[in-house]
Amino acid sequence: SNPASLEIDQKQFEPKGLETGKLETMTSESVGVQPDSAKEDSAEKPLNYLNSSQFTSELFKIEVKNFRPYTTVAMLKKRMQSLGLEPHKVKVMPNSWMAFVTFKNADQRDKALSVLPWLQLLYFANSKGHIWRGQALTAKLAKPKADPFGNAAAADSGQSSSTAKRPRLDTDTAADSKPAPLSAEAASELLRDAVTPLWRLGYEEQLKQKSQDMSSEVKQLTRQVAAVGGISAGSVEMMPIVASPVVDKYRNKCQFTVAWSPTQTDSVVVGFRVGRYRDGEADVYPPDTAAVVPTVILAVVRRLQALLNEPDMKRRAPPYDAKRHVGCWKAATVRCNSSNRTLLYLDIHQPFLTANDTSDETEMSLRHFIENRLQNGLLGDQDGCVASLHVVYTDHGGGEANGLWRHLGGDPDITETLGGLSFRVSPAAFFQVNTAAAEVLHNRIYSMLQHGESDSDNQSSALLDVCCGTGTIGLSLARYFSQVLGIELIADAVRDAQLNAQRNGIKNASFVCGRAEDTLPREANLLAETVSDLRVVLDPPRGGLQPSVLSTIRRCRSIRRLLYVSCCPRAARSNFVDLCRPASNKWRGDPFRLALVQPVDLFPLTKHCELLLLFVREPADAAADASE
């Protein structure tokens, strides 16, 4: 049984009328439009959202402390799952040994507090806690996070609130006052600062700033490698930054927010949010002055915005309100190819449809009404129409991955040409947003894998493409290697990769679906039987890979060279250190040496930059490892 004080403490966080651990059925009152008085009340109380019948895992949150440095979200989540726990969300706080973990109900939260020690000596006086990686974890209840919009409103109204710490960034001076509309020039500048923060600099200055940022990051990395005893930490060569072939209108994918206009009454806008939700900012402005958005995507946005502003559409399906968590339209994502064919998918808030659909026989059902208008208004050959139309119905906080996808019309996908190859681009597939720069990136990947060697060395080499997605890197380099094998966790991406190989007639590439740490040892051993040299390309998500994947790579004796493609080197820095740290009981296999780094600018006008890192193991090292 759970300690009684846990129940007492929990009551102060439970909203009245919400049964602990259960998600109540949503009603029109819970997700529909609130009365003005309720809206004002909601805006002024940072924890008012807890009184809604909509589910929030903030009710079932704990604080976990005392784990080791460089612990990632994935590592902590996996550890908790191994203990039979079911974490809903995990957030590791930067530069600390603390994380917040939420659960879907009170039973799961209390189970975690019984497995992980709680910081109440009354109940755990004789417990040393759960030991993980040599550390005794501690855990306790955590207070729900305050709604950022409630914080902002409380600060604006001058109310004393322990949670209202961040001032609003707009011009409000009181909770019941409306922000003064921005001039067109001010709105344009605000948008460009948010979407393209380097727009005031010439491109050469942008490249210089990014090169300095990457150089600083590499110096930090080499210091950390030296601190753990990594080999040759001070001999890293950084190549000059590679410029993007195109500087503006380069994005082949743009995700827009749908919202009420901050400047025009009763008007829907499809554009970019210029502030951060956590700062209480939700204003959305049209993307017309964002220099990275292609003309063909802007045309789709204007047509969609006109459709959503039709009187019947605004009446029956208003945009989603991030402050109240009500409404229909949440986001619109537009993709385009080099032939100006476009794909559009819209994120629709499913609870709104469930609560507001009509049983009146004289009026079309809301879902039918929405889908019918989208089909009639957005498919065709007119300016702004799309070649492929999809919707995804998502729950509150559920995300696209867990939503219900529907293809409403047109082609199921679009096709893009990259490096002379044809690739299928489906709605949710990963594809580099700068097609011209992606071709440059792939050429640099190959040249770095070949650094100091000749092309003839590849006759007996195989390429292992880990986190291969739809196979763009592996297929682009397949002509240089005897075999290419891609490993990917997402089954849909693997099917796309296999289709892309077939449509391009590439017969020496194959793709496997599975976790890298489970699949890689078997596949690497099979490749090692037919080739003498196995090279690896890693192109993981922003946060990098789990340590188990890196440990597996280090134990693969035939891997001589590894090329890591990182879109956020700071977030993935621990991965780089783990590849270079000396061999130990935990990190078996000879360490890699960071030999070469190459910045490649895929994102002009922004602060982001891709970084390629070449890690090598000399033949003598590999031979010594193989003789063990």
Side-chain angles (χ1 to χ4, degrees):
S1 61
N2 298 315
S5 66
L6 289 182
E7 299 176 2
I8 295 172
D9 287 345
Q10 172 61 15
K11 288 179 181 178
Q12 64 180 314
F13 303 134
E14 291 177 1
K16 192 173 183 180
L18 179 62
E19 187 174 346
T20 301
K22 293 184 178 180
L23 175 59
E24 293 185 350
T25 302
M26 296 180 182
T27 64
S28 58
E29 289 78 11
S30 67
V31 298
V33 178
Q34 301 179 28
D36 290 341
S37 59
K39 290 181 180 180
E40 293 301 327
D41 183 60
S42 172
E44 295 180 9
K45 294 183 179 179
L47 295 177
N48 193 71
Y49 73 99
L50 299 176
N51 294 319
S52 167
S53 59
Q54 294 191 55
F55 170 75
T56 172
S57 61
E58 286 293 313
L59 289 168
F60 317 114
K61 184 163 70 172
I62 66 172
E63 178 185 304
V64 180
K65 285 186 174 182
N66 205 37
F67 43 78
R68 295 185 65 179
Y70 306 117
T71 297
T72 64
V73 169
M75 293 167 61
L76 185 56
K77 192 170 186 177
K78 183 178 180 181
R79 183 61 177 182
M80 298 186 77
Q81 290 171 339
S82 72
L83 298 173
L85 306 178
E86 301 177 38
H88 180 60
K89 295 180 181 179
V90 177
K91 181 176 182 180
V92 176
M93 304 305 293
N95 303 317
S96 73
W97 298 353
M98 180 180 73
F100 291 105
V101 183
T102 67
F103 299 86
K104 291 185 177 180
N105 55 52
D107 289 341
Q108 293 178 11
R109 177 211 59 206
D110 293 346
K111 180 180 179 181
L113 288 172
S114 64
V115 173
L116 303 173
W118 196 46
L119 289 181
Q120 291 290 328
L121 298 181
L122 178 62
Y123 301 106
F124 293 97
N126 298 320
S127 173
K128 293 184 178 180
H130 174 73
I131 306 299
W132 180 41
R133 302 171 72 202
Q135 301 286 111
L137 298 187
T138 62
K140 66 176 181 179
L141 284 172
K143 292 182 179 180
K145 183 179 180 180
D147 185 356
F149 293 106
N151 279 346
D156 286 341
S157 62
Q159 296 178 8
S160 59
S161 170
S162 60
T163 57
K165 295 180 180 179
R166 292 180 179 267
R168 288 190 74 166
L169 301 181
D170 58 28
T171 56
D172 283 0
T173 56
D176 58 350
S177 66
K178 294 183 179 180
L182 294 176
S183 65
E185 183 179 353
S188 173
E189 185 169 334
L190 189 64
L191 177 80
R192 284 183 286 180
D193 284 342
V195 180
T196 55
L198 301 185
W199 67 276
R200 291 181 175 85
L201 300 179
Y203 191 47
E204 289 300 321
E205 283 299 311
Q206 294 178 38
L207 292 177
K208 182 178 179 181
Q209 178 173 317
K210 292 184 180 185
S211 182
Q212 292 172 348
D213 292 343
M214 291 298 101
S215 177
S216 175
E217 182 59 38
V218 171
K219 289 178 181 177
Q220 289 277 357
L221 170 60
T222 55
R223 280 196 288 266
Q224 287 196 16
V225 171
V228 299
I231 58 175
S232 303
S235 58
V236 179
E237 179 185 359
M238 178 169 160
M239 303 289 285
I241 189 170
V242 178
S244 170
V246 289
V247 178
D248 58 4
K249 301 183 185 302
Y250 62 82
R251 288 194 66 95
N252 57 42
K253 176 185 178 182
C254 297
Q255 184 170 2
F256 303 100
T257 300
V258 183
W260 291 112
S261 171
T263 59
Q264 300 180 31
T265 304
D266 195 34
S267 179
V268 178
V269 62
V270 179
F272 292 119
R273 180 184 292 169
V274 299
R276 298 183 301 181
Y277 184 92
R278 69 184 185 184
D279 291 336
E281 290 293 308
D283 287 349
V284 174
Y285 292 92
D288 303 73
T289 57
V292 296
V293 183
T295 303
V296 65
I297 288 183
L298 289 177
V300 174
V301 169
R302 294 189 189 105
R303 190 175 188 91
L304 173 63
Q305 184 169 290
L307 186 150
L308 299 184
N309 273 291
E310 294 176 355
D312 278 354
M313 185 66 80
K314 288 192 294 186
R315 176 179 64 86
R316 298 196 63 186
Y320 183 76
D321 186 340
K323 297 180 181 180
R324 320 297 174 193
H325 305 293
V326 296
C328 180
W329 309 100
K330 299 180 72 174
T333 302
V334 188
R335 311 188 80 142
C336 69
N337 64 10
S338 53
S339 301
N340 287 336
R341 290 182 64 80
T342 52
L343 178 153
L344 167 67
Y345 69 87
L346 292 144
D347 187 341
I348 296 175
H349 192 215
Q350 175 61 43
F352 180 85
L353 266 66
T354 303
N356 292 278
D357 214 345
T358 179
S359 59
D360 186 351
E361 296 181 357
T362 65
E363 191 169 34
M364 187 185 300
S365 73
L366 182 55
R367 183 187 293 252
H368 188 196
F369 167 76
I370 287 173
E371 294 184 355
N372 185 64
R373 281 302 298 126
L374 292 176
Q375 291 165 337
N376 292 334
L378 296 173
L379 289 170
D381 298 325
Q382 298 92 343
D383 185 46
C385 285
V386 299
S388 179
L389 178 62
H390 304 255
V391 292
V392 55
Y393 296 98
T394 58
D395 290 332
H396 178 66
E400 295 172 1
N402 299 317
L404 172 65
W405 286 84
R406 276 178 56 81
H407 175 215
L408 296 188
D411 299 330
D413 49 63
I414 58 177
T415 301
E416 182 59 290
T417 300
L418 177 63
L421 302 178
S422 175
F423 291 93
R424 174 179 184 253
V425 182
S426 53
F430 172 77
F431 196 87
Q432 288 287 1
V433 298
N434 186 338
T435 305
E439 189 167 342
V440 174
L441 178 74
H442 294 171
N443 291 335
R444 288 290 171 168
I445 289 174
Y446 174 69
S447 65
M448 288 186 69
L449 284 171
Q450 286 298 107
H451 182 65
E453 299 184 353
S454 64
D455 289 343
S456 60
D457 295 329
N458 281 345
Q459 293 178 356
S460 60
S461 294
L463 179 66
L464 192 57
D465 187 2
V466 182
C467 303
C468 67
T470 57
T472 52
I473 295 178
L475 294 175
S476 296
L477 303 185
R479 64 184 181 273
Y480 300 118
F481 294 89
S482 60
Q483 296 182 63
V484 171
L485 176 67
I487 298 176
E488 171 60 46
L489 179 62
I490 301 174
D492 287 343
V494 172
R495 285 192 288 269
D496 283 351
Q498 292 168 340
L499 178 63
N500 288 330
Q502 293 172 6
R503 74 194 306 168
N504 290 287
I506 298 176
K507 302 184 182 301
N508 66 329
S510 57
F511 300 90
V512 178
C513 183
R515 292 165 54 90
E517 57 265 47
D518 300 330
T519 309
L520 196 149
R522 179 183 70 252
E523 300 298 336
N525 288 335
L526 290 174
L527 286 173
E529 294 175 0
T530 59
V531 299
S532 59
D533 181 17
L534 180 58
R535 306 189 180 195
V536 175
V537 172
L538 296 178
D539 188 12
R542 179 179 296 268
L545 293 165
Q546 294 190 29
S548 57
V549 180
L550 304 174
S551 178
T552 301
I553 289 173
R554 286 187 49 151
R555 293 197 304 271
C556 291
R557 300 167 179 171
S558 56
I559 297 177
R560 287 180 49 206
R561 294 193 168 211
L562 183 149
L563 198 288
Y564 199 118
V565 184
S566 176
C567 61
C568 187
R570 180 172 301 177
R573 190 188 298 164
S574 62
N575 280 186
F576 312 148
V577 174
D578 288 341
L579 286 169
C580 296
R581 64 174 67 247
S584 64
N585 289 335
K586 179 179 178 181
W587 296 99
R588 298 183 183 276
D590 284 344
F592 286 86
R593 173 174 60 87
L594 179 58
L596 186 67
V597 295
Q598 170 76 79
V600 181
D601 185 22
L602 265 65
F603 316 103
L605 301 171
T606 77
K607 296 180 180 179
H608 302 293
C609 185
E610 209 87 356
L611 187 66
L612 306 181
L613 303 96
L614 176 65
F615 295 88
V616 299
R617 279 198 291 205
E618 305 303 332
D621 298 330
D625 188 31
S627 66
E628 291 180 356

